[in-house]
Amino acid sequence: MDKTTLTHLRELESESIYVIREVAAQFERPALLFSGGKDSIVMYYLARKAFWPMPVPFPCLHIDTGHNFPETLTFRDELMEKTNGKVIVRLVQDSINNGRAVEERGYNASRNVLQTVTLLDAIEEHKFDCALGGGRRDEEKARAKERFFSHRDEFGQWDPKNQRPELWNIFNGKKNMGEHFRVFPISNWTEMDVWQYIFLEDIEIPDLYFTHKREVFFRDGVWLAKAPFLEMKDSEKAELLDVRCRTIGDITCTGLTLSTANSLEDIINEVAATRVTERGGRYDDKRSEAAMEDRKKEGYF
């Protein structure tokens, strides 16, 4: 692939950097939501570009479900050390221990939904008035409804029918006491844009995105990683297969892709050829048609 043909990415980069700088200008205590996935990695990379040679003037915030891929946590810590970044980690397990959240039970149990409680508590604890997220326009339809600046009320809730206009990219970050904003700098990007930008800028990503051997089992049309906290049914059997992550999140909801992609060029070609959307491999989205929108209204990412 010829990097000189990817000129449209510079326009997306410029727009995103402008949004990130607007956050620094309009808010007193922003934070960048960091999961260790490709979108949050790109967003952190853009933030570093936006303020270079100064450090990023706000911390990253990672809500750790306790059911993450170990490789993700290792990558997060190494990235922060290399870049002198600051990451605040809050644990869903603490929310469970404190009685703020209730652990799900059964074969489909997941801590993904419980992140909302831990996130809102972390925002309240640190008095964050803005949280930058990595939502893109081609993701699940609820995320496509977002503005760049997405207002949240004092309960952290989102009203998709009451959003502010953003004509000419003029952003209104005014809020009342207790309210905050979610801001999505890569709103106009697609999955392909993200992968091409990673290729263009030679951005380091976790090895999970490349083909590797892993024990997996098949459930409801999705390959899931075998893990101690994932209860398998009697009819399910673990197999050692060549797979990779197309998106990275909680192990209980991250579907794996059968793949032979061992390079960024391979991944880009694979994404270009597939007819399955990125969210199509997310097991948590299969709970209901409106699963993501319902969670966002309650304060989810």
Side-chain angles (χ1 to χ4, degrees):
M1 180 178 294
D2 184 359
K3 293 186 178 183
T4 62
T5 65
L6 304 178
T7 54
H8 72 286
L9 296 177
R10 294 305 178 198
E11 294 183 15
L12 291 173
E13 176 190 66
S14 178
E15 178 183 63
S16 298
I17 287 175
Y18 168 72
V19 173
I20 291 169
R21 287 172 176 165
E22 278 293 299
V23 166
Q26 293 196 40
F27 298 100
E28 295 181 5
R29 297 182 65 85
L32 188 152
L33 299 176
F34 189 86
S35 67
K38 66 183 184 307
D39 296 333
S40 63
I41 291 170
V42 165
M43 198 164 56
Y44 179 61
Y45 183 88
L46 289 166
R48 291 170 58 208
K49 264 200 167 187
F51 303 106
W52 183 263
M54 299 296 290
V56 177
F58 42 76
C60 293
L61 173 62
H62 183 204
I63 305 302
D64 184 350
T65 66
H67 292 169
N68 295 103
F69 290 94
E71 297 95 325
T72 303
L73 304 183
T74 300
F75 181 89
R76 176 200 68 193
D77 295 340
E78 290 178 351
L79 177 63
M80 292 299 137
E81 184 176 356
K82 289 177 184 176
T83 61
N84 292 318
K86 179 182 179 182
V87 60
I88 297 170
V89 180
R90 288 296 176 265
L91 307 175
V92 170
Q93 185 63 54
D94 289 343
S95 298
I96 295 171
N97 294 344
N98 296 333
R100 295 279 296 146
V102 179
E103 183 91 79
E104 292 183 357
R105 302 295 178 187
Y107 292 115
N108 296 313
S110 173
R111 290 184 173 183
N112 204 42
V113 176
L114 305 187
Q115 292 181 87
T116 299
V117 174
T118 311
L119 172 61
L120 293 178
D121 285 350
I123 289 173
E124 173 64 24
E125 175 190 353
H126 292 277
K127 306 301 179 187
F128 291 132
D129 55 0
C130 173
L132 294 98
R136 305 187 320 265
R137 67 179 174 87
D138 66 332
E139 286 190 280
E140 198 277 339
K141 56 188 177 183
R143 294 195 179 189
K145 293 179 181 179
E146 293 275 18
R147 301 287 196 267
F148 279 104
F149 276 38
S150 183
H151 176 263
R152 296 296 196 271
D153 65 20
E154 59 184 318
F155 302 105
Q157 297 178 331
W158 172 62
D159 182 0
K161 296 181 180 180
N162 184 25
Q163 299 192 76
R164 301 174 181 183
E166 294 179 342
L167 301 175
W168 308 291
N169 277 4
I170 297 175
F171 304 119
N172 180 0
K174 292 183 179 179
K175 60 187 179 352
N176 296 317
M177 180 70 71
E179 299 175 346
H180 71 277
F181 276 77
R182 306 290 171 83
V183 173
F184 302 97
I186 61 172
S187 289
N188 283 332
W189 297 50
T190 65
E191 179 190 12
M192 180 61 80
D193 293 330
V194 169
W195 281 119
Q196 289 181 333
Y197 188 72
I198 290 170
F199 173 73
L200 178 66
E201 295 288 294
D202 195 23
I203 300 172
E204 187 177 0
I205 56 174
D207 291 339
L208 288 167
Y209 281 114
F210 300 102
T211 297
H212 58 284
K213 289 193 178 296
R214 186 177 293 271
E215 279 196 290
V216 296
F217 64 95
F218 198 65
R219 176 182 293 175
D220 296 335
V222 177
W223 288 101
L224 295 171
K226 183 182 178 182
F229 43 79
L230 252 176
E231 188 177 355
M232 294 175 60
K233 301 175 183 178
D234 293 338
S235 59
E236 294 170 340
K237 181 180 69 173
E239 304 177 56
L240 185 65
L241 298 175
D242 288 326
V243 296
R244 73 175 190 88
C245 291
R246 188 172 170 188
T247 177
I248 294 178
D250 187 289
I251 291 177
T252 61
C253 63
T254 299
L256 297 167
T257 300
L258 301 180
S259 175
T260 58
N262 290 308
S263 67
L264 288 173
E265 293 95 325
D266 290 343
I267 291 174
I268 289 170
N269 290 332
E270 186 177 272
V271 171
T274 187
R275 292 184 175 273
V276 178
T277 65
E278 183 184 33
R279 297 296 301 190
R282 293 278 296 191
Y283 190 72
D284 56 330
D285 284 351
K286 298 184 181 297
R287 294 191 174 204
S288 75
E289 277 292 316
M292 175 60 77
E293 183 158 339
D294 291 341
R295 277 177 281 161
K296 285 180 69 65
K297 288 178 181 178
E298 295 169 1
Y300 186 75
F301 295 101

